[in-house]
């Protein structure tokens, strides 16, 4: 069983409860942080931040830990929802502009498809130009 450091005093009660439950689940798996990282999409250092209370774990990390531990997703996601409302967003993170990576800006998907279409069109034009340049040279 891992010997955990005390959680930050500034962490609200709901967030403390969530992190405590995550720590219990992690201990129940018997996995090291490195093993947990290998079995989930989150790095060892990310798990260290989540389980120390330094950073709010993403909802997906909670789901991944539940999956690895064979625990009830609904219960822990309900705890995550409660903690999300009270978590000191940005308090434990360095100062800087807040970037929400979970939700892309409006129209981002359209811009991505448009850019891919333009690149594809440019490649086709270059290939056709090269073909037209080579073909007349052979026939003459």
């Amino acid at each position: 069983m891992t010997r955990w450091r005390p959680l930050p005093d500034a962490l609200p009660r709901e967030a403390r409860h969530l992190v405590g439950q995550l720590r219990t689940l992690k201990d129940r798996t018997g996995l090291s942080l490195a093993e947990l990282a290998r079995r989930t999409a989150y790095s060892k250092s990310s798990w260290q931040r989540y389980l120390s209370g330094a950073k709010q774990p993403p909802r997906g990390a909670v789901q991944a830990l539940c999956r690895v531990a064979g625990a009830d997703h609904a219960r822990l996601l309900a705890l995550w929802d409660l903690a999300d409302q009270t978590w000191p967003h940005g308090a434990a993170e360095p100062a800087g502009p807040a970037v929400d990576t979970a939700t892309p800006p409006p129209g981002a998907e359209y811009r991505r498809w448009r850019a891919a279409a333009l690149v594809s069109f440019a490649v086709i034009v270059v290939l056709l130009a090269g073909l037209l340049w080579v073909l007349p040279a052979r026939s003459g």
Side-chain angles (χ1 to χ4, degrees), residues 115-127:
L118 288 173
V119 167
S120 299
F121 181 73
V123 168
I124 291 170
V125 167
V126 168
L127 289 173

Side-chain angles (χ1 to χ4, degrees), residues 8 12 16 20 24-25 29-30 32 35 44-45 49 55 57 70 72 75 78 86 88 92 116 118 120 128-129 132 139:
R16 288 175 169 278
T24 301
L25 268 184
T29 66
S32 67
E35 280 293 320
K44 176 183 172 186
S45 59
R49 288 189 295 273
K55 186 172 182 199
D72 179 29
R75 185 174 158 280
T86 63
L118 288 173
S120 299
L128 282 175
L132 290 174
S139 62

Side-chain angles (χ1 to χ4, degrees), residues 55-56 88-105:
K55 186 172 182 199
Q56 180 181 8
H89 295 283
E93 300 201 11
V99 177
D100 184 11
T101 57
T103 307

Side-chain angles (χ1 to χ4, degrees), residues 32-79:
S32 67
L33 291 176
E35 280 293 320
L36 184 59
R38 279 192 279 280
R39 293 184 185 203
T40 64
Y42 300 90
S43 68
K44 176 183 172 186
S45 59
S46 291
W47 281 114
Q48 287 172 330
R49 288 189 295 273
Y50 305 151
L51 296 172
S52 70
K55 186 172 182 199
Q56 180 181 8
R59 190 176 178 88
V62 173
Q63 290 171 322
L65 182 57
C66 286
R67 181 180 38 78
V68 168
D72 179 29
H73 288 80
R75 185 174 158 280
L76 250 67
L77 291 178
L79 287 175

